[in-house]
PDB file of all heavy atoms in Angstrom:
ATOM      1  N   SER P 202       4.351  29.895   4.009  1.00  0.00           N
ATOM      2  CA  SER P 202       5.110  31.134   3.819  1.00  0.00           C
ATOM      3  C   SER P 202       5.775  31.190   2.438  1.00  0.00           C
ATOM      4  O   SER P 202       5.994  32.276   1.918  1.00  0.00           O
ATOM      5  CB  SER P 202       6.107  31.357   4.950  1.00  0.00           C
ATOM      6  OG  SER P 202       7.185  30.498   4.769  1.00  0.00           O
ATOM      7  N   SER P 203       6.087  30.058   1.832  1.00  0.00           N
ATOM      8  CA  SER P 203       6.666  30.089   0.477  1.00  0.00           C
ATOM      9  C   SER P 203       5.742  29.457  -0.564  1.00  0.00           C
ATOM     10  O   SER P 203       6.122  29.326  -1.725  1.00  0.00           O
ATOM     11  CB  SER P 203       8.017  29.356   0.470  1.00  0.00           C
ATOM     12  OG  SER P 203       7.843  27.989   0.792  1.00  0.00           O
ATOM     13  N   HIS P 249      14.714  20.817  -7.923  1.00  0.00           N
ATOM     14  CA  HIS P 249      15.680  21.776  -8.477  1.00  0.00           C
ATOM     15  C   HIS P 249      16.319  22.578  -7.341  1.00  0.00           C
ATOM     16  O   HIS P 249      15.948  22.407  -6.180  1.00  0.00           O
ATOM     17  CB  HIS P 249      15.021  22.703  -9.504  1.00  0.00           C
ATOM     18  CG  HIS P 249      13.914  23.579  -8.972  1.00  0.00           C
ATOM     19  ND1 HIS P 249      12.736  23.092  -8.461  1.00  0.00           N
ATOM     20  CD2 HIS P 249      13.814  24.929  -8.893  1.00  0.00           C
ATOM     21  CE1 HIS P 249      11.955  24.091  -8.099  1.00  0.00           C
ATOM     22  NE2 HIS P 249      12.581  25.229  -8.336  1.00  0.00           N
ATOM     23  N   HIS P 251      16.180  25.552  -5.485  1.00  0.00           N
ATOM     24  CA  HIS P 251      15.104  26.536  -5.307  1.00  0.00           C
ATOM     25  C   HIS P 251      15.669  27.935  -5.093  1.00  0.00           C
ATOM     26  O   HIS P 251      16.702  28.105  -4.435  1.00  0.00           O
ATOM     27  CB  HIS P 251      14.250  26.167  -4.092  1.00  0.00           C
ATOM     28  CG  HIS P 251      13.772  24.752  -4.135  1.00  0.00           C
ATOM     29  ND1 HIS P 251      12.708  24.352  -4.902  1.00  0.00           N
ATOM     30  CD2 HIS P 251      14.241  23.637  -3.524  1.00  0.00           C
ATOM     31  CE1 HIS P 251      12.538  23.040  -4.751  1.00  0.00           C
ATOM     32  NE2 HIS P 251      13.461  22.583  -3.929  1.00  0.00           N
ATOM     33  N   ALA P 252      14.920  28.930  -5.576  1.00  0.00           N
ATOM     34  CA  ALA P 252      15.352  30.324  -5.424  1.00  0.00           C
ATOM     35  C   ALA P 252      14.583  31.048  -4.330  1.00  0.00           C
ATOM     36  O   ALA P 252      14.920  32.162  -3.971  1.00  0.00           O
ATOM     37  CB  ALA P 252      15.159  31.056  -6.750  1.00  0.00           C
ATOM     38  N   ASP P 253      13.543  30.414  -3.807  1.00  0.00           N
ATOM     39  CA  ASP P 253      12.633  31.170  -2.933  1.00  0.00           C
ATOM     40  C   ASP P 253      12.597  30.644  -1.502  1.00  0.00           C
ATOM     41  O   ASP P 253      12.047  31.300  -0.629  1.00  0.00           O
ATOM     42  CB  ASP P 253      11.212  31.116  -3.520  1.00  0.00           C
ATOM     43  CG  ASP P 253      10.720  29.695  -3.593  1.00  0.00           C
ATOM     44  OD1 ASP P 253      11.528  28.780  -3.803  1.00  0.00           O
ATOM     45  OD2 ASP P 253       9.509  29.491  -3.416  1.00  0.00           O
ATOM     46  N   HIS P 254      13.115  29.446  -1.250  1.00  0.00           N
ATOM     47  CA  HIS P 254      13.129  28.884   0.110  1.00  0.00           C
ATOM     48  C   HIS P 254      14.311  27.928   0.197  1.00  0.00           C
ATOM     49  O   HIS P 254      14.830  27.490  -0.835  1.00  0.00           O
ATOM     50  CB  HIS P 254      11.825  28.127   0.415  1.00  0.00           C
ATOM     51  CG  HIS P 254      11.689  26.871  -0.388  1.00  0.00           C
ATOM     52  ND1 HIS P 254      11.185  26.858  -1.664  1.00  0.00           N
ATOM     53  CD2 HIS P 254      12.038  25.580  -0.117  1.00  0.00           C
ATOM     54  CE1 HIS P 254      11.204  25.621  -2.139  1.00  0.00           C
ATOM     55  NE2 HIS P 254      11.718  24.819  -1.229  1.00  0.00           N
ATOM     56  N   HIS P 305      12.872  25.933 -16.275  1.00  0.00           N
ATOM     57  CA  HIS P 305      12.764  26.867 -15.133  1.00  0.00           C
ATOM     58  C   HIS P 305      14.175  27.090 -14.578  1.00  0.00           C
ATOM     59  O   HIS P 305      14.605  28.218 -14.360  1.00  0.00           O
ATOM     60  CB  HIS P 305      11.820  26.272 -14.095  1.00  0.00           C
ATOM     61  CG  HIS P 305      11.812  26.964 -12.766  1.00  0.00           C
ATOM     62  ND1 HIS P 305      11.553  28.298 -12.623  1.00  0.00           N
ATOM     63  CD2 HIS P 305      12.048  26.489 -11.513  1.00  0.00           C
ATOM     64  CE1 HIS P 305      11.620  28.626 -11.316  1.00  0.00           C
ATOM     65  NE2 HIS P 305      11.920  27.535 -10.634  1.00  0.00           N
ATOM     66  N   ASP P 324       8.904  22.946 -10.370  1.00  0.00           N
ATOM     67  CA  ASP P 324       8.419  24.208 -10.939  1.00  0.00           C
ATOM     68  C   ASP P 324       8.463  24.187 -12.462  1.00  0.00           C
ATOM     69  O   ASP P 324       8.402  25.230 -13.100  1.00  0.00           O
ATOM     70  CB  ASP P 324       9.267  25.384 -10.438  1.00  0.00           C
ATOM     71  CG  ASP P 324       9.124  25.567  -8.944  1.00  0.00           C
ATOM     72  OD1 ASP P 324       8.321  24.847  -8.330  1.00  0.00           O
ATOM     73  OD2 ASP P 324       9.835  26.428  -8.396  1.00  0.00           O
ATOM     74  N   LEU P 327       3.397  24.012 -13.391  1.00  0.00           N
ATOM     75  CA  LEU P 327       2.541  24.345 -12.244  1.00  0.00           C
ATOM     76  C   LEU P 327       1.089  24.216 -12.705  1.00  0.00           C
ATOM     77  O   LEU P 327       0.812  24.093 -13.905  1.00  0.00           O
ATOM     78  CB  LEU P 327       2.826  25.770 -11.754  1.00  0.00           C
ATOM     79  CG  LEU P 327       4.283  26.071 -11.344  1.00  0.00           C
ATOM     80  CD1 LEU P 327       4.435  27.538 -10.923  1.00  0.00           C
ATOM     81  CD2 LEU P 327       4.753  25.148 -10.223  1.00  0.00           C
ATOM     82  N   GLY P 330      -0.033  26.932 -14.896  1.00  0.00           N
ATOM     83  CA  GLY P 330       1.097  27.856 -14.952  1.00  0.00           C
ATOM     84  C   GLY P 330       2.380  27.080 -15.200  1.00  0.00           C
ATOM     85  O   GLY P 330       2.364  25.901 -15.601  1.00  0.00           O
ATOM     86  N   CYS P 331       3.508  27.721 -14.951  1.00  0.00           N
ATOM     87  CA  CYS P 331       4.800  27.053 -15.044  1.00  0.00           C
ATOM     88  C   CYS P 331       5.817  27.909 -14.310  1.00  0.00           C
ATOM     89  O   CYS P 331       5.513  29.040 -13.934  1.00  0.00           O
ATOM     90  CB  CYS P 331       5.226  26.882 -16.510  1.00  0.00           C
ATOM     91  SG  CYS P 331       5.533  28.454 -17.319  1.00  0.00           S
ATOM     92  N   GLY P 332       7.003  27.360 -14.108  1.00  0.00           N
ATOM     93  CA  GLY P 332       8.056  28.117 -13.443  1.00  0.00           C
ATOM     94  C   GLY P 332       8.537  29.260 -14.327  1.00  0.00           C
ATOM     95  O   GLY P 332       8.491  29.164 -15.564  1.00  0.00           O
ATOM     96  N   ARG P 333       9.009  30.320 -13.715  1.00  0.00           N
ATOM     97  CA  ARG P 333       9.560  31.458 -14.441  1.00  0.00           C
ATOM     98  C   ARG P 333      10.874  31.051 -15.111  1.00  0.00           C
ATOM     99  O   ARG P 333      11.510  30.070 -14.700  1.00  0.00           O
ATOM    100  CB  ARG P 333       9.754  32.625 -13.477  1.00  0.00           C
ATOM    101  CG  ARG P 333      10.744  32.308 -12.380  1.00  0.00           C
ATOM    102  CD  ARG P 333      10.636  33.262 -11.206  1.00  0.00           C
ATOM    103  NE  ARG P 333      11.040  34.619 -11.580  1.00  0.00           N
ATOM    104  CZ  ARG P 333      10.779  35.693 -10.819  1.00  0.00           C
ATOM    105  NH1 ARG P 333      10.164  35.555  -9.658  1.00  0.00           N
ATOM    106  NH2 ARG P 333      11.172  36.876 -11.202  1.00  0.00           N
ATOM    107  N   THR P 334      11.308  31.831 -16.069  1.00  0.00           N
ATOM    108  CA  THR P 334      12.514  31.439 -16.829  1.00  0.00           C
ATOM    109  C   THR P 334      13.533  32.572 -16.882  1.00  0.00           C
ATOM    110  O   THR P 334      14.407  32.585 -17.738  1.00  0.00           O
ATOM    111  CB  THR P 334      12.108  31.063 -18.276  1.00  0.00           C
ATOM    112  OG1 THR P 334      11.293  32.114 -18.802  1.00  0.00           O
ATOM    113  CG2 THR P 334      11.348  29.762 -18.312  1.00  0.00           C
ATOM    114  N   PHE P 336      15.818  33.572 -14.514  1.00  0.00           N
ATOM    115  CA  PHE P 336      17.113  33.456 -13.828  1.00  0.00           C
ATOM    116  C   PHE P 336      17.477  31.989 -13.706  1.00  0.00           C
ATOM    117  O   PHE P 336      16.706  31.122 -14.146  1.00  0.00           O
ATOM    118  CB  PHE P 336      17.112  34.170 -12.464  1.00  0.00           C
ATOM    119  CG  PHE P 336      15.948  33.818 -11.549  1.00  0.00           C
ATOM    120  CD1 PHE P 336      15.826  32.562 -10.980  1.00  0.00           C
ATOM    121  CD2 PHE P 336      14.983  34.779 -11.265  1.00  0.00           C
ATOM    122  CE1 PHE P 336      14.776  32.259 -10.141  1.00  0.00           C
ATOM    123  CE2 PHE P 336      13.919  34.482 -10.424  1.00  0.00           C
ATOM    124  CZ  PHE P 336      13.813  33.213  -9.865  1.00  0.00           C
ATOM    125  N   GLN P 337      18.659  31.693 -13.113  1.00  0.00           N
ATOM    126  CA  GLN P 337      19.160  30.308 -12.945  1.00  0.00           C
ATOM    127  C   GLN P 337      19.145  29.534 -14.267  1.00  0.00           C
ATOM    128  O   GLN P 337      18.615  28.419 -14.341  1.00  0.00           O
ATOM    129  CB  GLN P 337      18.321  29.561 -11.906  1.00  0.00           C
ATOM    130  CG  GLN P 337      18.570  30.004 -10.471  1.00  0.00           C
ATOM    131  CD  GLN P 337      17.690  29.221  -9.504  1.00  0.00           C
ATOM    132  OE1 GLN P 337      16.461  29.333  -9.549  1.00  0.00           O
ATOM    133  NE2 GLN P 337      18.316  28.412  -8.656  1.00  0.00           N
ATOM    134  N   HIS P 365       4.927  24.343  -6.375  1.00  0.00           N
ATOM    135  CA  HIS P 365       4.306  25.487  -5.695  1.00  0.00           C
ATOM    136  C   HIS P 365       2.887  25.619  -6.196  1.00  0.00           C
ATOM    137  O   HIS P 365       2.570  25.177  -7.314  1.00  0.00           O
ATOM    138  CB  HIS P 365       4.977  26.811  -6.081  1.00  0.00           C
ATOM    139  CG  HIS P 365       6.376  26.975  -5.603  1.00  0.00           C
ATOM    140  ND1 HIS P 365       6.699  27.210  -4.289  1.00  0.00           N
ATOM    141  CD2 HIS P 365       7.554  26.969  -6.276  1.00  0.00           C
ATOM    142  CE1 HIS P 365       8.003  27.338  -4.168  1.00  0.00           C
ATOM    143  NE2 HIS P 365       8.551  27.190  -5.362  1.00  0.00           N
ATOM    144  N   TYR P 367       0.212  29.129  -6.104  1.00  0.00           N
ATOM    145  CA  TYR P 367      -0.046  30.478  -5.581  1.00  0.00           C
ATOM    146  C   TYR P 367      -1.534  30.817  -5.657  1.00  0.00           C
ATOM    147  O   TYR P 367      -1.929  31.933  -5.383  1.00  0.00           O
ATOM    148  CB  TYR P 367       0.789  31.499  -6.360  1.00  0.00           C
ATOM    149  CG  TYR P 367       2.276  31.181  -6.327  1.00  0.00           C
ATOM    150  CD1 TYR P 367       2.927  30.664  -7.445  1.00  0.00           C
ATOM    151  CD2 TYR P 367       3.014  31.365  -5.166  1.00  0.00           C
ATOM    152  CE1 TYR P 367       4.280  30.354  -7.407  1.00  0.00           C
ATOM    153  CE2 TYR P 367       4.372  31.063  -5.117  1.00  0.00           C
ATOM    154  CZ  TYR P 367       4.993  30.553  -6.230  1.00  0.00           C
ATOM    155  OH  TYR P 367       6.335  30.236  -6.193  1.00  0.00           O
ATOM    156  N   ARG P 384      -0.414  28.876 -20.554  1.00  0.00           N
ATOM    157  CA  ARG P 384       0.903  29.198 -21.098  1.00  0.00           C
ATOM    158  C   ARG P 384       1.383  28.137 -22.088  1.00  0.00           C
ATOM    159  O   ARG P 384       2.146  28.435 -22.992  1.00  0.00           O
ATOM    160  CB  ARG P 384       1.928  29.298 -19.959  1.00  0.00           C
ATOM    161  CG  ARG P 384       1.561  30.315 -18.905  1.00  0.00           C
ATOM    162  CD  ARG P 384       2.670  30.431 -17.860  1.00  0.00           C
ATOM    163  NE  ARG P 384       2.231  31.244 -16.739  1.00  0.00           N
ATOM    164  CZ  ARG P 384       2.990  31.560 -15.703  1.00  0.00           C
ATOM    165  NH1 ARG P 384       4.221  31.119 -15.641  1.00  0.00           N
ATOM    166  NH2 ARG P 384       2.510  32.306 -14.721  1.00  0.00           N
ATOM    167  N   LEU P 401       6.275  38.373 -18.191  1.00  0.00           N
ATOM    168  CA  LEU P 401       5.720  37.902 -16.922  1.00  0.00           C
ATOM    169  C   LEU P 401       5.803  38.995 -15.852  1.00  0.00           C
ATOM    170  O   LEU P 401       4.888  39.162 -15.046  1.00  0.00           O
ATOM    171  CB  LEU P 401       6.481  36.652 -16.463  1.00  0.00           C
ATOM    172  CG  LEU P 401       5.734  35.622 -15.633  1.00  0.00           C
ATOM    173  CD1 LEU P 401       4.409  35.233 -16.273  1.00  0.00           C
ATOM    174  CD2 LEU P 401       6.602  34.377 -15.433  1.00  0.00           C
ATOM    175  N   LEU P 403       7.590  39.427 -13.052  1.00  0.00           N
ATOM    176  CA  LEU P 403       7.570  39.057 -11.622  1.00  0.00           C
ATOM    177  C   LEU P 403       8.787  39.648 -10.906  1.00  0.00           C
ATOM    178  O   LEU P 403       9.901  39.569 -11.429  1.00  0.00           O
ATOM    179  CB  LEU P 403       7.662  37.532 -11.469  1.00  0.00           C
ATOM    180  CG  LEU P 403       6.422  36.689 -11.697  1.00  0.00           C
ATOM    181  CD1 LEU P 403       6.800  35.211 -11.554  1.00  0.00           C
ATOM    182  CD2 LEU P 403       5.337  37.036 -10.689  1.00  0.00           C
ATOM    183  N   PRO P 404       8.604  40.218  -9.703  1.00  0.00           N
ATOM    184  CA  PRO P 404       9.791  40.593  -8.921  1.00  0.00           C
ATOM    185  C   PRO P 404      10.559  39.340  -8.511  1.00  0.00           C
ATOM    186  O   PRO P 404       9.972  38.257  -8.428  1.00  0.00           O
ATOM    187  CB  PRO P 404       9.202  41.292  -7.690  1.00  0.00           C
ATOM    188  CG  PRO P 404       7.799  40.809  -7.593  1.00  0.00           C
ATOM    189  CD  PRO P 404       7.353  40.432  -8.976  1.00  0.00           C
ATOM    190  N   HIS P 405      11.857  39.475  -8.276  1.00  0.00           N
ATOM    191  CA  HIS P 405      12.640  38.315  -7.832  1.00  0.00           C
ATOM    192  C   HIS P 405      12.141  37.830  -6.472  1.00  0.00           C
ATOM    193  O   HIS P 405      11.682  38.636  -5.654  1.00  0.00           O
ATOM    194  CB  HIS P 405      14.123  38.676  -7.741  1.00  0.00           C
ATOM    195  CG  HIS P 405      14.805  38.585  -9.071  1.00  0.00           C
ATOM    196  ND1 HIS P 405      16.162  38.682  -9.232  1.00  0.00           N
ATOM    197  CD2 HIS P 405      14.309  38.389 -10.312  1.00  0.00           C
ATOM    198  CE1 HIS P 405      16.467  38.554 -10.509  1.00  0.00           C
ATOM    199  NE2 HIS P 405      15.360  38.377 -11.184  1.00  0.00           N
ATOM    200  N   PRO P 406      12.243  36.521  -6.202  1.00  0.00           N
ATOM    201  CA  PRO P 406      11.825  36.024  -4.887  1.00  0.00           C
ATOM    202  C   PRO P 406      12.565  36.767  -3.763  1.00  0.00           C
ATOM    203  O   PRO P 406      13.762  37.043  -3.887  1.00  0.00           O
ATOM    204  CB  PRO P 406      12.233  34.551  -4.919  1.00  0.00           C
ATOM    205  CG  PRO P 406      12.251  34.195  -6.364  1.00  0.00           C
ATOM    206  CD  PRO P 406      12.685  35.435  -7.091  1.00  0.00           C
ATOM    207  N   LYS P 407      11.832  37.035  -2.691  1.00  0.00           N
ATOM    208  CA  LYS P 407      12.394  37.855  -1.599  1.00  0.00           C
ATOM    209  C   LYS P 407      13.636  37.215  -0.967  1.00  0.00           C
ATOM    210  O   LYS P 407      14.558  37.889  -0.567  1.00  0.00           O
ATOM    211  CB  LYS P 407      11.318  38.081  -0.517  1.00  0.00           C
ATOM    212  CG  LYS P 407      10.198  39.016  -0.975  1.00  0.00           C
ATOM    213  CD  LYS P 407       9.242  39.376   0.143  1.00  0.00           C
ATOM    214  CE  LYS P 407       8.254  38.260   0.505  1.00  0.00           C
ATOM    215  NZ  LYS P 407       7.316  37.897  -0.564  1.00  0.00           N
ATOM    216  N   LYS P 408      13.638  35.866  -0.882  1.00  0.00           N
ATOM    217  CA  LYS P 408      14.750  35.194  -0.189  1.00  0.00           C
ATOM    218  C   LYS P 408      15.831  34.698  -1.142  1.00  0.00           C
ATOM    219  O   LYS P 408      16.672  33.887  -0.748  1.00  0.00           O
ATOM    220  CB  LYS P 408      14.214  33.981   0.578  1.00  0.00           C
ATOM    221  CG  LYS P 408      13.446  34.311   1.833  1.00  0.00           C
ATOM    222  CD  LYS P 408      13.317  33.024   2.637  1.00  0.00           C
ATOM    223  CE  LYS P 408      12.508  33.185   3.887  1.00  0.00           C
ATOM    224  NZ  LYS P 408      12.234  31.864   4.488  1.00  0.00           N
TER     225      LYS P 408
HETATM  226  N1  LIG A 133       6.805  35.944  -4.436  1.00  0.00           N
HETATM  227  C1  LIG A 133       7.623  34.780  -4.280  1.00  0.00           C
HETATM  228  C2  LIG A 133       8.292  34.400  -5.591  1.00  0.00           C
HETATM  229  C3  LIG A 133       7.490  33.485  -6.358  1.00  0.00           C
HETATM  230  C4  LIG A 133       8.286  32.957  -7.552  1.00  0.00           C
HETATM  231  O1  LIG A 133       9.020  33.671  -8.258  1.00  0.00           O
HETATM  232  N2  LIG A 133       8.160  31.656  -7.762  1.00  0.00           N
HETATM  233  C5  LIG A 133       8.839  30.971  -8.803  1.00  0.00           C
HETATM  234  C6  LIG A 133       9.137  29.548  -8.368  1.00  0.00           C
HETATM  235  S1  LIG A 133      10.687  29.435  -7.541  1.00  0.00           S
HETATM  236  C7  LIG A 133       8.057  30.877 -10.081  1.00  0.00           C
HETATM  237  O2  LIG A 133       8.525  30.303 -11.007  1.00  0.00           O
HETATM  238  N3  LIG A 133       6.840  31.418 -10.152  1.00  0.00           N
HETATM  239  C8  LIG A 133       6.057  31.335 -11.352  1.00  0.00           C
HETATM  240  C9  LIG A 133       4.808  32.143 -11.284  1.00  0.00           C
HETATM  241  O3  LIG A 133       4.516  32.695 -10.226  1.00  0.00           O
HETATM  242  O4  LIG A 133       4.137  32.199 -12.323  1.00  0.00           O
HETATM  243  C10 LIG A 133       8.744  34.996  -3.275  1.00  0.00           C
HETATM  244  O5  LIG A 133       9.106  36.134  -3.008  1.00  0.00           O
HETATM  245  O6  LIG A 133       9.284  33.999  -2.807  1.00  0.00           O
END
Side-chain angles (χ1 to χ4, degrees):
S202 75
S203 63
H249 62 296
H251 308 281
D253 61 327
H254 68 276
H305 169 56
D324 295 356
L327 303 178
C331 66
R333 62 197 293 166
T334 50
F336 50 69
Q337 287 180 296
H365 292 287
Y367 304 106
R384 303 184 189 182
L401 210 50
L403 281 177
H405 277 189
K407 290 187 284 296
K408 286 195 183 170

